[in-house]
Amino acid sequence: MKRIVSASAATLAATLCLSGCIIVSDSDRDTAPPPPTVNTDPGDPRGTEASLAFSWRIDGRDPVTDARACSDAGVQFIRLTVLDGATARTFQTLQWDCNLGRYSSARPELRAGTFNVYFEAVAADGRRLSVAPSRRNDRGEREPSPERAVFVAGQRYDFDQGNQAEPGLPGVATNFATGPGGLEVSLRYDRAGVAENADCATARVARIRWRLLAPNNVAVEDHTQQESCAQYAQIRWETLFRDNYRLAVTAFDSEGATLGTGQCADLLVRAGTTPSTYACRVVLGAR
């Protein structure tokens, strides 16, 4: 009988386990996972400490309820852009399909810190079609107006809430206007005990003033001067950003007493060569 003089541990194990055995070598054994990589790039907001929430409209239309909102405007993605000094940086994980209409982090994906950011609505080929927040430059063009975002560990940064002009009110979505449009509103009046759906004379409204409001309650036009009601049976704006506006009208009688303020909402300015037209029924309270 031959004698096995020398054998490796692996060979011996193979000899003893002719069936049904799994052989594990030292190199196959589990090791502790590597520590998470710490992001030390000051211009990169990605991390594992904070999260974000954000929703958007395209030309005043909600992609969640309006299936053509994004495609009509040619918008494919919404992306967060971060300023690293003078350099604008974008990141694949901070870009979302326009059709989603909103986004909320499923888990922390940002690092704690302060960043200057803005959002872009871009086409499939990467062309920027709209930007928010924005401002007009000397040439009358819209350009980014970055906002300061402070991401705090363990907290969610709500961009919708920051978009609200009046603290304490619910947050609103950011609108990406891809072009201008016109708006025309025809006015009729309800006045308790006097008239319903009537013209100025029948409702005994002598003068009016108005405010045209964006969804975040910013006044696009604050027309404080009182005007003749009869001369302003229609109010027209030749050029507005495409958005969903609200008109608040305050009415006065011939003696200058306030009759009340009524509002008309959902005045969506659409693309086109002619103004978007609406009939606005202003409901006034009794004197």
Side-chain angles (χ1 to χ4, degrees), residues 263-287:
Q263 300 189 23
C264 293
D266 295 325
L267 306 176
L268 180 64
V269 175
R270 295 180 177 272
T273 57
T274 59
S276 302
T277 59
Y278 297 91
C280 174
R281 190 167 173 175
V282 181
V283 179
L284 303 171
R287 289 188 58 182

Side-chain angles (χ1 to χ4, degrees), residues 12-240:
L12 182 58
T15 304
L16 296 177
C17 297
L18 298 178
S19 67
C21 292
I22 298 176
I23 302 171
V24 180
S25 67
D26 288 341
S27 61
D28 293 327
R29 297 188 186 278
D30 291 337
T31 58
T37 301
V38 178
N39 184 1
T40 58
D41 182 346
D44 186 345
R46 295 174 297 175
T48 58
E49 297 172 297
S51 58
L52 66 90
F54 178 57
S55 59
W56 55 88
R57 302 289 181 267
I58 305 298
D59 292 331
R61 299 160 65 182
D62 184 352
V64 174
T65 58
D66 188 340
R68 293 193 57 85
C70 296
S71 58
D72 284 352
V75 178
Q76 184 71 38
F77 301 107
I78 304 296
R79 69 187 181 198
L80 179 69
T81 301
V82 181
L83 280 183
D84 184 2
T87 302
R89 300 179 62 182
T90 60
F91 306 91
Q92 186 66 34
T93 58
L94 297 176
Q95 174 175 287
W96 310 281
D97 185 338
C98 177
N99 293 292
L100 293 173
R102 61 209 61 185
Y103 176 79
S104 182
S105 301
R107 62 185 60 84
E109 59 182 322
L110 301 169
R111 59 189 293 188
T114 301
F115 300 88
N116 291 319
V117 305
Y118 56 91
F119 289 93
E120 297 174 288
V122 298
D125 61 4
R127 288 178 299 115
R128 184 171 74 195
L129 302 178
S130 185
V131 59
S134 63
R135 59 179 171 239
R136 287 191 184 276
N137 60 25
D138 295 339
R139 299 181 300 276
E141 302 166 336
R142 305 300 296 187
E143 64 180 17
S145 178
E147 66 175 278
R148 181 173 176 267
V150 181
F151 303 136
V152 179
Q155 296 185 16
R156 184 183 304 274
Y157 191 93
D158 188 346
F159 283 97
D160 290 4
Q161 191 59 53
N163 193 40
Q164 176 56 263
E166 298 183 25
L169 295 179
V172 295
T174 295
N175 182 57
F176 293 94
T178 62
L183 174 65
E184 183 176 283
V185 181
S186 299
L187 301 175
R188 304 280 288 183
Y189 299 90
D190 281 5
R191 188 174 168 196
V194 177
E196 291 185 3
N197 196 26
D199 60 17
C200 297
T202 305
R204 301 177 197 169
V205 176
R207 306 183 73 80
I208 61 172
R209 68 185 183 202
W210 61 84
R211 301 179 77 210
L212 184 66
L213 302 165
N216 60 351
N217 288 318
V218 170
V220 176
E221 181 188 7
D222 193 354
H223 198 98
T224 57
Q225 179 178 335
Q226 294 184 23
E227 305 287 1
S228 166
C229 181
Q231 291 182 11
Y232 284 89
Q234 291 86 32
I235 305 177
R236 183 183 178 106
W237 295 266
E238 296 295 338
T239 304
L240 294 170

